[in-house]
Amino acid sequence: MSTEIFIDRGDITTLKVDAIVNAANASLLGGSGVDGAIHRAAGRELLAECRTLGGCSTGQAKMTQGYALPAKFIIHTVGPRWRGGTHEEPKLLASCYTSSLQLAVANGVKSIAFPAISCGVYGYPIEQAARVAISATREFLKCDNSLEKIIFTCFDDRVYRAYLDAERTDDRTDR
Ligand code: APR
């Protein structure tokens, strides 16, 4: 059974998957963007659990329950803030996907959805971020196909088109 990758438009807080990934900040105590949407939808118990985690470093990931969300779990990862591309941003962003996938597999997750990490408040150029996301995920799947479904959930058309282009580009380079 190989892992299926989907690129969809939508609101990640509505997805009934084993885990959704949150584009958090190092405090893990909530914020705006998808972080704010997830905390609002999950409810106050999420913040209470996040307070016990002691924060999270950029490129790393930590997991909580999903509480009032349809998803069972939330994997919180901290993307790099875009600083021109000269501060290891691609490596740190790739690590967000790899760390989240590793944590998911370690906890028996079979279906996982990612937002476009770092593509909002953190200002990462969307086309570049999408290529990093697809490439890092495919690299991970070369070593582990225990996941059944990975969904890249795009909140707007520009992100959606960037992910579709990134997937096509990655297909071509893989040949
Ligand atoms: N579902 C899916 N994607 C969403 C949703 C949602 N409900 N809401 C926003 N997004 C998208 C944004 O449109 C963007 O494409 O998630 C992507 C990531 O944007 P941000 O949420 O701004 O995250 P990021 O750029 O990683 O910045 C993280 O912002 O919210 C704060 O606390 C957070 O400090 C941290 C920073």
Side-chain angles (χ1 to χ4, degrees):
M1 175 87 178
S2 67
T3 308
E4 286 191 279
I5 293 179
F6 297 88
I7 297 170
D8 287 339
R9 283 289 320 269
D11 175 348
I12 203 166
T13 65
T14 66
L15 299 183
K16 189 169 175 48
V17 289
D18 288 349
I20 62 169
V21 176
N22 180 23
N25 60 57
S27 74
L28 295 185
L29 301 180
S32 56
V34 70
D35 195 7
I38 287 172
H39 274 268
R40 282 191 298 277
R44 299 167 59 84
E45 291 173 287
L46 173 57
L47 183 57
E49 182 175 1
C50 285
R51 285 203 172 101
T52 70
L53 297 178
C56 185
S57 303
T58 300
Q60 299 305 306
K62 292 191 177 177
M63 192 157 141
T64 66
Q65 298 298 312
Y67 298 104
L69 285 168
K72 291 182 202 142
F73 302 110
I74 305 163
I75 292 175
H76 307 260
T77 191
V78 181
R81 193 184 288 273
W82 180 254
R83 297 164 67 192
T86 56
H87 295 74
E88 295 198 313
E89 292 98 320
K91 184 178 163 198
L92 288 166
L93 184 60
S95 175
C96 287
Y97 289 91
T98 306
S99 304
S100 299
L101 290 166
Q102 286 168 341
L103 193 52
V105 167
N107 287 276
V109 165
K110 292 299 177 190
S111 54
I112 185 168
F114 285 95
I117 298 165
S118 287
C119 290
V121 168
Y122 281 178
Y124 207 113
I126 292 171
E127 291 71 18
Q128 293 182 54
R131 285 198 294 273
V132 169
I134 295 286
S135 165
T137 300
R138 285 193 164 162
E139 197 58 34
F140 177 86
L141 294 179
K142 285 178 184 169
C143 309
D144 184 312
N145 61 8
S146 56
L147 287 160
E148 290 168 6
K149 180 187 275 192
I150 298 173
I151 306 168
F152 292 105
T153 310
C154 306
F155 205 49
D156 61 52
D157 270 336
R158 183 175 168 203
V159 172
Y160 180 60
R161 285 195 303 274
Y163 270 78
L164 291 177
D165 290 346
E167 190 178 44
R168 278 195 292 271
T169 308
D170 200 69
D171 281 343
R172 281 198 295 274
T173 48
D174 254 0
R175 285 197 194 111

